[in-house]
Short mmCIF file of all heavy atoms in Angstrom, two decimals:
data_model
loop_
_atom_site.label_atom_id
_atom_site.label_comp_id
_atom_site.label_asym_id
_atom_site.label_seq_id
_atom_site.Cartn_x
_atom_site.Cartn_y
_atom_site.Cartn_z
N ARG A 178 101.20 69.70 41.05
CA ARG A 178 101.25 69.91 39.54
C ARG A 178 99.95 70.34 39.09
O ARG A 178 98.74 70.09 39.61
CB ARG A 178 101.47 68.58 38.86
CG ARG A 178 102.95 68.07 39.15
CD ARG A 178 103.19 66.76 38.44
NE ARG A 178 104.48 66.10 38.94
CZ ARG A 178 105.70 66.53 38.49
NH1 ARG A 178 105.74 67.38 37.56
NH2 ARG A 178 106.66 65.96 38.93
N ASN A 179 99.91 71.16 38.07
CA ASN A 179 98.65 71.57 37.34
C ASN A 179 98.37 70.51 36.22
O ASN A 179 99.02 69.53 36.13
CB ASN A 179 98.90 72.94 36.81
CG ASN A 179 99.97 73.02 35.81
OD1 ASN A 179 100.17 72.13 35.01
ND2 ASN A 179 100.66 74.37 35.83
N PHE A 180 97.26 70.78 35.53
CA PHE A 180 96.79 69.78 34.56
C PHE A 180 97.62 69.71 33.29
O PHE A 180 97.33 68.98 32.30
CB PHE A 180 95.31 69.95 34.17
CG PHE A 180 94.39 69.32 35.31
CD1 PHE A 180 93.12 69.77 35.56
CD2 PHE A 180 94.78 68.22 36.10
CE1 PHE A 180 92.33 69.18 36.49
CE2 PHE A 180 94.05 67.66 37.04
CZ PHE A 180 92.72 68.27 37.22
N LEU A 181 98.65 70.60 33.16
CA LEU A 181 99.63 70.47 32.08
C LEU A 181 100.80 69.74 32.56
O LEU A 181 101.80 69.68 31.81
CB LEU A 181 100.00 71.79 31.58
CG LEU A 181 98.88 72.61 30.98
CD1 LEU A 181 99.17 73.94 30.34
CD2 LEU A 181 98.09 71.82 29.90
N GLY A 182 100.71 69.22 33.80
CA GLY A 182 101.78 68.25 34.28
C GLY A 182 103.01 68.95 34.95
O GLY A 182 103.97 68.30 35.34
N PHE A 183 103.03 70.26 35.09
CA PHE A 183 104.17 71.01 35.61
C PHE A 183 103.90 71.36 37.12
O PHE A 183 102.65 71.65 37.40
CB PHE A 183 104.45 72.27 34.84
CG PHE A 183 105.27 71.97 33.57
CD1 PHE A 183 104.76 71.22 32.48
CD2 PHE A 183 106.53 72.47 33.48
CE1 PHE A 183 105.49 70.84 31.41
CE2 PHE A 183 107.36 72.08 32.33
CZ PHE A 183 106.83 71.37 31.29
N ARG A 184 104.84 71.49 37.90
CA ARG A 184 104.65 71.85 39.27
C ARG A 184 104.33 73.43 39.29
O ARG A 184 104.89 74.19 38.52
CB ARG A 184 106.05 71.72 40.06
CG ARG A 184 106.40 70.29 40.23
CD ARG A 184 107.59 70.10 41.19
NE ARG A 184 107.88 68.75 41.23
CZ ARG A 184 107.21 67.84 41.90
NH1 ARG A 184 106.16 68.09 42.55
NH2 ARG A 184 107.73 66.59 41.87
N ASP A 185 103.33 73.78 39.93
CA ASP A 185 102.75 75.10 40.02
C ASP A 185 102.79 75.77 41.42
O ASP A 185 102.35 75.16 42.30
CB ASP A 185 101.30 74.98 39.47
CG ASP A 185 100.83 76.29 39.09
OD1 ASP A 185 101.25 77.39 39.43
OD2 ASP A 185 99.83 76.26 38.10
N GLY A 186 103.40 76.92 41.47
CA GLY A 186 103.52 77.58 42.83
C GLY A 186 104.95 77.72 43.24
O GLY A 186 105.21 78.42 44.22
N THR A 187 105.93 77.08 42.45
CA THR A 187 107.35 77.02 42.91
C THR A 187 107.86 78.41 43.34
O THR A 187 108.42 78.51 44.44
CB THR A 187 108.06 76.47 41.83
OG1 THR A 187 107.59 75.30 41.35
CG2 THR A 187 109.59 76.41 42.19
N ALA A 188 107.68 79.44 42.51
CA ALA A 188 108.25 80.81 42.77
C ALA A 188 107.31 81.68 43.49
O ALA A 188 107.53 82.85 43.47
CB ALA A 188 108.76 81.39 41.38
N ASN A 189 106.26 81.05 43.97
CA ASN A 189 105.20 82.01 44.77
C ASN A 189 105.98 82.66 45.89
O ASN A 189 106.80 81.98 46.56
CB ASN A 189 104.21 81.11 45.33
CG ASN A 189 102.81 81.57 44.90
OD1 ASN A 189 102.65 82.65 44.23
ND2 ASN A 189 101.82 80.99 45.32
N PRO A 190 105.78 83.90 46.20
CA PRO A 190 106.30 84.38 47.44
C PRO A 190 105.79 83.70 48.63
O PRO A 190 104.68 83.33 48.61
CB PRO A 190 105.92 85.93 47.46
CG PRO A 190 104.78 85.96 46.42
CD PRO A 190 104.99 84.86 45.49
N PRO A 191 106.62 83.44 49.59
CA PRO A 191 106.07 82.50 50.75
C PRO A 191 104.94 83.28 51.59
O PRO A 191 105.26 84.29 52.19
CB PRO A 191 107.42 82.34 51.52
CG PRO A 191 108.29 83.28 51.18
CD PRO A 191 108.08 83.70 49.76
N ALA A 192 103.75 82.62 51.63
CA ALA A 192 102.68 83.14 52.30
C ALA A 192 102.81 83.25 53.79
O ALA A 192 101.96 84.02 54.44
CB ALA A 192 101.37 82.37 51.89
N ASP A 193 103.74 82.57 54.43
CA ASP A 193 103.96 82.67 55.80
C ASP A 193 104.99 83.85 56.22
O ASP A 193 105.28 83.97 57.39
CB ASP A 193 104.44 81.33 56.35
CG ASP A 193 105.67 80.76 55.70
OD1 ASP A 193 106.27 81.41 54.85
OD2 ASP A 193 106.11 79.63 56.04
N ASP A 194 105.47 84.50 55.24
CA ASP A 194 106.35 85.63 55.47
C ASP A 194 105.44 86.86 55.62
O ASP A 194 105.09 87.57 54.66
CB ASP A 194 107.41 85.65 54.34
CG ASP A 194 108.42 86.91 54.57
OD1 ASP A 194 108.06 87.83 55.34
OD2 ASP A 194 109.42 86.79 53.92
N ARG A 195 105.21 87.29 56.90
CA ARG A 195 104.25 88.28 57.20
C ARG A 195 104.76 89.73 56.68
O ARG A 195 103.95 90.49 56.20
CB ARG A 195 103.98 88.45 58.64
CG ARG A 195 103.25 87.24 59.27
CD ARG A 195 103.10 87.42 60.75
NE ARG A 195 102.11 88.50 61.01
CZ ARG A 195 101.15 88.49 61.74
NH1 ARG A 195 100.80 87.36 62.45
NH2 ARG A 195 100.38 89.59 61.96
N THR A 196 105.98 89.92 56.78
CA THR A 196 106.55 91.29 56.34
C THR A 196 106.28 91.39 54.70
O THR A 196 105.73 92.42 54.19
CB THR A 196 107.96 91.40 56.66
OG1 THR A 196 108.14 90.96 57.97
CG2 THR A 196 108.40 92.94 56.45
N LEU A 197 106.65 90.24 54.07
CA LEU A 197 106.56 90.27 52.62
C LEU A 197 105.03 90.36 52.30
O LEU A 197 104.71 91.04 51.25
CB LEU A 197 107.19 88.92 52.08
CG LEU A 197 107.29 88.89 50.52
CD1 LEU A 197 108.10 90.01 49.94
CD2 LEU A 197 108.02 87.53 50.24
N MET A 198 104.17 89.67 53.02
CA MET A 198 102.66 89.63 52.46
C MET A 198 102.17 91.06 52.67
O MET A 198 101.31 91.52 52.13
CB MET A 198 101.97 88.63 53.45
CG MET A 198 102.37 87.08 53.07
SD MET A 198 101.83 86.69 51.32
CE MET A 198 103.55 86.56 50.62
N GLN A 199 102.73 91.57 53.88
CA GLN A 199 102.18 93.08 54.11
C GLN A 199 102.47 94.02 52.97
O GLN A 199 101.71 94.83 52.48
CB GLN A 199 102.83 93.66 55.48
CG GLN A 199 102.09 94.72 55.99
CD GLN A 199 100.61 94.54 56.37
OE1 GLN A 199 100.23 93.59 56.93
NE2 GLN A 199 99.68 95.51 55.82
N GLN A 200 103.66 93.83 52.42
CA GLN A 200 103.99 94.52 51.22
C GLN A 200 103.32 94.22 49.91
O GLN A 200 102.83 95.00 49.19
CB GLN A 200 105.44 94.33 50.92
CG GLN A 200 106.63 95.22 51.39
CD GLN A 200 107.92 94.63 51.27
OE1 GLN A 200 108.26 94.02 50.15
NE2 GLN A 200 108.86 94.68 52.20
N LEU A 201 103.21 92.93 49.74
CA LEU A 201 102.76 92.54 48.33
C LEU A 201 101.29 92.32 48.31
O LEU A 201 100.65 92.58 47.29
CB LEU A 201 103.48 91.14 47.98
CG LEU A 201 104.87 91.09 47.83
CD1 LEU A 201 105.29 89.70 47.40
CD2 LEU A 201 105.33 91.98 46.65
N VAL A 202 100.68 91.76 49.46
CA VAL A 202 99.18 91.35 49.37
C VAL A 202 98.27 92.27 50.02
O VAL A 202 97.17 92.51 49.46
CB VAL A 202 99.20 89.98 49.99
CG1 VAL A 202 97.76 89.45 50.11
CG2 VAL A 202 99.96 88.96 49.17
N TRP A 203 98.67 92.87 51.15
CA TRP A 203 97.57 93.57 51.98
C TRP A 203 97.72 95.04 51.77
O TRP A 203 98.76 95.66 51.83
CB TRP A 203 97.80 93.30 53.50
CG TRP A 203 97.75 91.83 53.83
CD1 TRP A 203 98.72 91.07 54.21
CD2 TRP A 203 96.61 90.90 53.61
NE1 TRP A 203 98.41 89.75 54.34
CE2 TRP A 203 97.07 89.56 54.07
CE3 TRP A 203 95.40 91.14 53.28
CZ2 TRP A 203 96.26 88.54 54.04
CZ3 TRP A 203 94.46 90.04 53.25
CH2 TRP A 203 94.86 88.83 53.74
N VAL A 204 96.59 95.68 51.41
CA VAL A 204 96.46 97.11 51.43
C VAL A 204 96.78 97.76 52.68
O VAL A 204 96.19 97.32 53.65
CB VAL A 204 95.10 97.46 50.80
CG1 VAL A 204 94.85 98.95 50.92
CG2 VAL A 204 94.93 97.00 49.41
N ASP A 205 97.65 98.81 52.73
CA ASP A 205 97.82 99.52 53.87
C ASP A 205 98.08 100.93 53.53
O ASP A 205 97.84 101.39 52.42
CB ASP A 205 98.91 98.98 54.84
CG ASP A 205 100.22 98.85 54.02
OD1 ASP A 205 100.50 99.58 53.08
OD2 ASP A 205 101.09 98.13 54.48
#
Side-chain angles (χ1 to χ4, degrees):
R178 295 179 189 278
N179 57 38
F180 280 153
L181 298 183
F183 280 67
R184 296 191 184 282
D185 200 330
T187 308
N189 232 359
D193 56 3
D194 182 335
R195 291 181 63 130
T196 314
L197 188 61
M198 292 298 109
Q199 194 59 47
Q200 265 171 40
L201 296 178
V202 170
W203 303 113
V204 167
D205 62 17

